[in-house]
Amino acid sequence: MLGWDGELPPPAVRTMEEMRPVLADPSCTCGDPLYFMYRDLAKSDADWRWLHAHHLRYDLTVIPPRSLCGEWVKTKGHYHPVNKAGVGYPEIYEVLEGEAHYLLQSKDLTDVVMIPAQTGDVVIIPPGYGHISINPSPDKVLAMANIVSTAFESEYGEYESRHGAAYFEFSSGELRENPRYPALPPVRKLRSKSGYGDHRISKGPLYNLIGDADALAFLNHPEKYLAVFSVLLKD
């Protein structure tokens, strides 16, 4: 499989029927699965035990290229809850193959951010932001890895109730506001980064960070890294 040379369990499959409520055109038809999720992976028993001991999970998501009645194929979208310190859990992604557009939106909808990422780029979803992942290519598969805390479950309800993210991205290049949201700010476009200088979190490849507790501590204890997160979303 793209970007992975370890064993793979059967994937969870996101079907068209599951995605229909969050599409720009809910009447769009497509008979194939839209994307595949491989959860809780490791290349060795030792790596798997280390991840679980540190309340972490390594996943892969594969999104084949597809236009859904003009809209680029995407993930469903979710928010993360807050931890015991009252700070939202973050998440870290790496593009293994292809390209991705990560569309982030703050919970209060005062900020919407698009982060384009290429193969090898690392993108951190900071606390307080929901997100979707978009494959903006007409012919390339997007394969991406992520590491996330196992201390919570993703929250899909906001995206479901509003029928998608704040904006829809179309193959024409258009970013169209979702009419089910209140007045929205324009989309800010940022480059992928993991901080800089003293305000740096982690660099890829993500899998190489397994075993490095300091490099991944921000995923369970984001309250200790607020200065770093503020850097990530600066223009």
Side-chain angles (χ1 to χ4, degrees):
M1 182 185 132
L2 297 173
W4 178 257
D5 57 5
E7 294 183 3
L8 283 175
V13 177
R14 189 69 79 192
T15 66
M16 184 67 180
E17 289 308 307
E18 291 173 310
M19 290 292 292
R20 190 178 304 284
V22 299
L23 298 181
D25 181 359
S27 67
C28 191
T29 58
C30 174
D32 297 323
L34 296 188
Y35 60 96
F36 307 88
M37 300 165 285
Y38 300 85
R39 303 300 193 207
D40 200 15
L41 302 180
K43 296 181 182 180
S44 70
D45 289 342
D47 288 347
W48 188 88
R49 288 193 298 271
W50 187 91
L51 285 163
H52 277 247
H54 290 81
H55 309 290
L56 298 171
R57 193 183 74 219
Y58 182 94
D59 304 329
L60 295 176
T61 302
V62 178
I63 308 177
R66 184 170 289 121
S67 172
L68 300 172
C69 298
E71 182 187 8
W72 286 131
V73 64
K74 63 188 179 183
T75 57
K76 191 171 189 179
H78 63 267
Y79 286 94
H80 297 169
V82 300
N83 68 359
K84 292 180 179 179
V87 179
Y89 286 98
E91 190 166 2
I92 185 169
Y93 283 87
E94 179 190 7
V95 178
L96 301 177
E97 296 284 349
E99 59 180 312
H101 287 174
Y102 295 97
L103 183 64
L104 285 60
Q105 60 191 59
S106 60
K107 198 81 181 259
D108 62 7
L109 300 177
T110 60
D111 193 27
V112 182
V113 180
M114 176 75 82
I115 304 177
Q118 305 292 325
T119 300
D121 285 344
V122 169
V123 172
I124 295 171
I125 312 299
Y129 280 78
H131 60 98
I132 64 172
S133 304
I134 301 164
N135 182 352
S137 171
D139 54 11
K140 294 180 180 178
V141 172
L142 166 59
M144 55 188 184
N146 69 280
I147 301 181
V148 67
S149 172
T150 58
F152 70 91
E153 296 289 336
S154 296
E155 298 176 342
Y156 295 92
E158 188 80 6
Y159 283 84
E160 292 171 340
S161 66
R162 293 188 183 272
H163 300 279
Y167 284 82
F168 301 110
E169 184 176 17
F170 290 84
S171 55
S172 63
E174 177 189 7
L175 279 172
R176 185 184 304 170
E177 290 188 25
N178 184 337
R180 297 173 181 87
Y181 281 73
L184 291 167
V187 178
R188 297 192 300 127
K189 292 190 177 181
L190 298 178
R191 63 181 178 86
S192 62
K193 55 187 173 181
S194 56
Y196 50 80
D198 292 335
H199 297 303
R200 178 175 290 281
I201 295 186
S202 301
K203 297 176 67 176
L206 283 194
Y207 198 88
N208 291 354
L209 300 180
I210 295 174
D212 187 340
D214 290 338
L216 297 175
F218 74 96
L219 292 170
N220 280 301
H221 303 287
E223 68 277 6
K224 299 179 181 179
Y225 298 85
L226 296 180
V228 181
F229 294 130
S230 68
V231 167
L232 299 181
L233 294 182
K234 287 183 177 180
D235 292 316

